[in-house]
Amino acid sequence: MSSDAIIVLPGEVIVHILEDERLSFSDIVHFSLSCRSLYKIVNENNKLWKTKFFQRWPHLREIYQTNDELDHRMINWKEEIKSSLSTRIKLLSLLSSMSSKHYRMQELSNSEFKEFDPLFCPEEGAHPLAYYFLVDELINLIKHPAIVSNLTHRYYALKIVRYLKQTHLKDEWKKFLSLPPKQQTLERGATIVAQWSQPERHVSYIAISSTLDSIAEQTKELLREQYPNHTIFSIPTERFNFWKNNIIGDNQWDVTETRQLTDALCEVLFKRLGFYGNSEMYYSSENSFIDRVLERRRGIPITLAIVFESVARRLGIHCEPVSFPSHFLLRWKETYGPQFKDTENFYIDVFNGGQFLTKRNCPRIGGVSRCPIEKYNIHEAATPIEVVTRMANNLEIAARQHTHINGRIARLRSALELQYMIQPNDANTILQLGRIYISQFMDLSELVKKLENIPEEEVEPKRRDPNVKYAIGLIMKHKIHGYMCVITGWDTYCTATTEWMNEMNVGGLVDGPGQPFYNIFVDDGSCHYVAQENLELASNPGWIHHHAIGRYFYKFSGAHYIPNEEKAREYPEDEKICNELLVTYMQNGMIYSTT
């Protein structure tokens, strides 16, 4: 077709032809320069340039559509394209120089990427949405077939996109923390974890939320088949939207209708869609990413619980996440509120097909011989921030088990930096991260500054639980190993990591991880964390030879150690228990004092 023939076509037909996705920006520009009339048609058609923009960067459509600060009617899409291409040129220029600057470094400090800040930080003059454009460009480069790619560029692109995403997510985490507690939903927190840990993937909260919406709709469809008169079918859309975006404090239905809904949800989630616990690859990092769990339909208890709770909430059902020492369950009651605090709790074991558990039918998790939920009917529900913290801890465990040392360092760094973002004042996390930075010759200045400015935490008094039998300062004997020790602290249940509990076979104990555990100083100078069932009062108490004994105790009485003021404030109720135990045992001739 000649140019004269094209000119006689109506302008809207010409634009329709140019909207073909096979035509590039360059093709459109060259076409427009063929004559003045075509130039006018092309140059003045904002809709055409908008179409070409999203053909080139399809992932940005969601960003532009959901950004409340942009007025689409005011955007000049041709200028938007020119700005984006200009930013791309600058990005590629900086990317090309990375190898010459950092060839000898394996892990790069965040300070090494500061030259990229002007490209995506609005406060430094960048376009408000430049961050999303840069991420899209870098991911496209990473995903480009390796055989036809510049491998060096791909290598450094992954490091750059990690920096961009994690810098952005630090702000997103602050926004999450600033939300009212009822709006801090589990799936929002889980999305941040998935985005942080998978910089090379497009992980979208909107996509995750849409998938959860779909599961909720499938549940309603099944419910309509079984119980067409259920009250849920008379609820307006606005109510569903509220439940979707807010943690609800109670079930929205009576007991019968709530059970009908939970049964339908379990049928859809675990039978029809086939979600299940990934016991074969339990410590795979992918089990902690909600987007991957929704795609593959398998995960670990915590991510499956997030999926279940998020869908249940969309249906007006209130579930509470409960973080047990060796398992993660959802708690559900027929009704909530202070006046119903004694109502029986049911625990939903999402790792095992959504079973509803009570003390009468609970599983023997990890080989524990007693019910792990027996003592936890008053256990506090985990907050979304606590759930995210546990997810970050799981990622650290997974990283430490990674086979290859090089991959392990990068994964461990990512997991620890995630923990650092969540708990910026946790000295242990800072020290572990510092070890990695030192081993990789990375910049320590931020961590050092943070350590210098961590506020001193006030010691929160620990209130005794009826299940805690012993007290600080008591001289104990280990029933199996026979060594002498002194109690320096206790927890009402095992608070160690799952990795540690598996290594120490805590599940094989008679009372499992749900029993009290004690921090002890051993007579050989070591420190241990011991289950209550393995300790007994020493019948012949004596001095414990430990270099740190004075940290917690100021005097040895002959039968026990007397805590110093700081330790006594931490365990204010232990002195009474300690004295009562000693008197009872002495009266029964089971223990005698050396004084």
Side-chain angles (χ1 to χ4, degrees):
M1 182 182 291
S2 67
S3 59
D4 291 340
I6 293 177
I7 292 174
V8 300
L9 293 174
E12 58 268 22
V13 174
I14 294 175
V15 169
H16 180 72
I17 294 172
L18 296 178
E19 286 178 341
D20 190 303
E21 62 182 13
R22 291 171 294 182
L23 298 177
S24 67
F25 298 145
S26 180
D27 294 331
I28 303 298
V29 171
H30 288 148
F31 175 79
S32 69
L33 295 176
S34 59
C35 71
R36 290 182 179 179
S37 59
L38 292 178
Y39 178 82
K40 184 176 181 181
I41 291 173
V42 171
N43 192 57
E44 295 180 357
N45 196 296
N46 202 36
K47 178 178 175 293
L48 169 63
W49 292 110
K50 179 180 179 180
T51 300
K52 304 311 291 186
F53 182 92
F54 288 123
Q55 285 177 355
R56 175 62 179 80
W57 298 291
H59 286 101
L60 298 188
R61 184 183 297 276
E62 175 187 304
I63 304 302
Y64 275 82
Q65 289 177 343
T66 57
N67 192 292
D68 297 331
E69 299 178 3
L70 291 178
D71 185 350
H72 283 232
R73 295 170 299 179
M74 302 299 294
I75 295 177
N76 184 321
W77 289 99
K78 183 179 179 181
E79 291 302 315
E80 205 78 354
I81 290 172
K82 290 169 65 176
S83 174
S84 299
L85 292 177
S86 174
T87 301
R88 183 176 188 272
I89 292 172
K90 296 174 184 176
L91 170 66
L92 293 178
S93 175
L94 291 174
L95 176 62
S96 299
S97 67
M98 292 292 287
S99 182
S100 61
K101 294 178 181 178
H102 308 296
Y103 175 70
R104 298 187 180 279
M105 301 293 292
Q106 178 177 324
E107 290 293 315
L108 301 182
S109 305
N110 287 342
S111 57
E112 306 289 355
F113 296 95
K114 291 301 180 183
E115 60 184 346
F116 289 90
D117 287 1
L119 296 185
F120 75 97
C121 294
E123 57 270 23
E124 296 196 32
H127 186 286
L129 300 183
Y131 158 77
Y132 300 98
F133 165 78
L134 290 171
V135 167
D136 192 71
E137 281 291 314
L138 289 165
I139 291 179
N140 285 339
L141 194 156
I142 294 166
K143 297 298 183 183
H144 200 65
I147 195 68
V148 293
S149 298
N150 183 318
L151 299 182
T152 300
H153 285 183
R154 291 177 81 244
Y155 173 79
Y156 285 104
L158 183 56
K159 293 183 178 294
I160 297 168
V161 78
R162 180 203 64 81
Y163 169 75
L164 295 182
K165 276 198 171 185
Q166 294 183 0
T167 300
H168 173 74
L169 287 170
K170 290 173 185 176
D171 291 332
E172 292 299 302
W173 179 248
K174 291 177 183 177
K175 293 177 184 177
F176 180 78
L177 295 179
S178 68
L179 290 172
K182 287 190 175 182
Q183 294 179 18
Q184 293 177 353
T185 59
L186 294 180
E187 64 267 34
R188 283 190 179 275
T191 299
I192 292 176
V193 172
Q195 291 170 330
W196 179 281
S197 304
Q198 303 174 100
E200 76 287 357
R201 283 174 60 90
H202 286 292
V203 180
S204 162
Y205 170 73
I206 292 177
I208 289 169
S209 183
S210 177
T211 303
L212 296 170
D213 292 344
S214 175
I215 298 173
E217 287 302 315
Q218 292 177 61
T219 303
K220 287 166 64 178
E221 290 173 8
L222 175 60
L223 190 72
R224 190 184 295 276
E225 296 174 8
Q226 299 173 335
Y227 306 101
N229 296 321
H230 195 288
T231 311
I232 196 172
F233 300 116
S234 62
I235 298 299
T237 302
E238 293 76 14
R239 183 77 65 83
F240 287 112
N241 289 335
F242 179 81
W243 296 340
K244 172 181 175 178
N245 296 307
N246 292 271
I247 298 172
I248 55 179
D250 205 343
N251 302 311
Q252 305 300 302
W253 326 103
D254 63 30
V255 174
T256 300
E257 289 196 320
T258 300
R259 288 307 297 258
Q260 291 170 352
L261 262 171
T262 55
D263 289 345
L265 175 54
C266 287
E267 171 73 24
V268 168
L269 200 62
F270 300 110
K271 294 183 179 179
R272 297 195 176 189
L273 296 179
F275 280 81
Y276 67 94
N278 190 0
S279 56
E280 295 180 358
M281 298 184 65
Y282 191 91
Y283 290 107
S284 170
S285 297
E286 291 187 347
N287 289 326
S288 293
F289 306 147
I290 188 171
D291 59 312
R292 295 294 185 97
V293 171
L294 289 170
E295 289 173 9
R296 303 183 307 148
R297 300 182 181 180
R298 60 182 182 269
I300 53 177
I302 193 167
T303 40
L304 291 173
I306 291 171
V307 171
F308 190 100
E309 187 278 338
S310 301
V311 177
R313 193 181 68 250
R314 284 162 166 76
L315 298 170
I317 303 170
H318 179 50
C319 301
E320 297 175 320
V322 181
S323 186
F324 290 93
S326 60
H327 205 44
F328 196 94
L329 301 173
L330 288 172
R331 182 170 59 202
W332 174 79
K333 294 199 296 186
E334 294 177 348
T335 187
Y336 295 79
Q339 67 273 33
F340 301 108
K341 64 180 181 179
D342 295 327
T343 302
E344 183 178 13
N345 294 301
F346 293 87
Y347 289 87
I348 307 172
D349 186 3
V350 292
F351 194 70
N352 294 296
Q355 300 176 60
F356 274 66
L357 313 173
T358 65
K359 289 186 289 185
R360 294 183 295 276
N361 67 346
C362 73
R364 300 298 179 252
I365 299 168
V368 179
S369 59
R370 291 180 59 182
C371 173
I373 66 175
E374 182 175 355
K375 301 175 183 177
Y376 289 94
N377 273 357
I378 57 172
H379 199 282
E380 290 293 328
T383 67
I385 295 172
E386 290 170 342
V387 172
V388 171
T389 301
R390 181 153 177 168
M391 295 179 77
N393 293 339
N394 288 342
L395 287 171
E396 180 192 348
I397 294 171
R400 293 189 185 280
Q401 295 185 350
H402 194 65
T403 305
H404 301 292
I405 182 65
N406 290 338
R408 182 160 67 242
I409 290 173
R411 289 168 182 252
L412 185 57
R413 174 191 175 185
S414 177
L416 289 173
E417 287 180 337
L418 176 60
Q419 291 180 11
Y420 178 51
M421 181 187 76
I422 298 168
Q423 298 177 300
N425 292 328
D426 184 74
N428 182 57
T429 298
I430 295 173
L431 291 173
Q432 290 190 66
L433 196 53
R435 292 191 186 102
I436 291 180
Y437 285 8
I438 291 172
S439 70
Q440 299 299 308
F441 306 100
M442 295 168 62
D443 183 6
L444 283 167
S445 57
E446 179 186 345
L447 296 183
V448 172
K449 184 178 180 181
K450 187 64 180 180
L451 278 174
E452 292 174 346
N453 292 283
I454 291 179
E456 186 174 346
E457 294 184 7
E458 294 186 9
V459 176
E460 185 175 343
K462 297 192 74 167
R463 301 302 174 186
R464 290 191 65 84
D465 182 277
N467 296 310
V468 179
K469 185 176 180 180
Y470 304 118
I472 60 168
L474 287 173
I475 310 298
M476 310 298 293
K477 179 181 178 181
H478 197 283
K479 293 181 181 179
I480 299 174
H481 301 299
Y483 58 68
M484 302 284 284
C485 59
V486 59
I487 295 175
T488 63
W490 48 258
D491 296 309
T492 54
Y493 59 89
C494 183
T495 60
T497 64
T498 303
E499 181 184 39
W500 184 90
M501 285 191 278
N502 290 337
E503 182 180 347
M504 303 305 294
N505 193 29
V506 172
L509 296 171
V510 174
D511 292 330
Q515 64 182 303
F517 269 66
Y518 296 85
N519 292 296
I520 59 171
F521 282 170
V522 183
D523 194 43
D524 63 4
S526 61
C527 306
H528 293 293
Y529 193 48
V530 183
Q532 180 167 276
E533 68 181 61
N534 286 334
L535 291 177
E536 62 183 1
L537 274 171
S539 59
N540 189 13
W543 182 270
I544 300 298
H545 297 85
H546 197 284
H547 66 281
I549 200 79
R551 179 182 178 186
Y552 301 133
F553 307 102
Y554 82 93
K555 184 179 180 180
F556 178 57
S557 72
H560 71 291
Y561 280 90
I562 301 174
N564 56 30
E565 292 182 9
E566 290 71 28
K567 179 59 70 172
R569 279 198 298 270
E570 187 178 0
Y571 293 87
E573 300 169 347
D574 272 33
E575 181 181 4
K576 178 183 177 183
I577 300 298
C578 178
N579 291 333
E580 289 176 353
L581 276 173
L582 289 173
V583 169
T584 300
Y585 274 64
M586 287 178 183
Q587 289 175 345
N588 294 332
M590 300 171 65
I591 185 174
Y592 67 89
S593 172
T594 58
T595 59

